[in-house]
Amino acid sequence: MKFFTLIFTLLLSAQAFAHEDHALGEGSLHLFYHAVFWGLCAVVTVKAVGYFKNKKKQKADQ
């Protein structure tokens, strides 16, 4: 549970850096930050799903 809390906290704090009250302001840099952030989230999710499927398959093969 601590791990999920940490991940959730990191997601929220990382998104807060992209908003107007911080250095990025509003505009193309702001949109670029969001595109990179959500792209990385998607990559991590796909890798995690693949890892757990592979781990489950290896466990079933043994």
Side-chain angles (χ1 to χ4, degrees):
M1 192 64 181
K2 288 181 183 179
F3 176 73
F4 291 117
T5 304
L6 174 67
I7 296 299
F8 186 70
T9 303
L10 289 175
L11 287 173
L12 289 178
S13 64
Q15 274 201 313
F17 286 122
H19 293 97
E20 190 175 3
D21 58 337
H22 292 283
L24 292 178
E26 293 293 327
S28 60
L29 188 57
H30 181 104
L31 294 174
F32 177 74
Y33 178 87
H34 278 285
V36 169
F37 177 80
W38 288 114
L40 287 174
C41 284
V43 168
V44 168
T45 302
V46 168
K47 286 291 193 180
V49 168
Y51 171 79
F52 286 114
K53 281 186 177 182
N54 190 25
K55 189 174 178 181
K56 186 176 178 180
K57 182 181 176 185
Q58 285 179 351
K59 199 173 199 179
D61 288 343
Q62 290 179 350

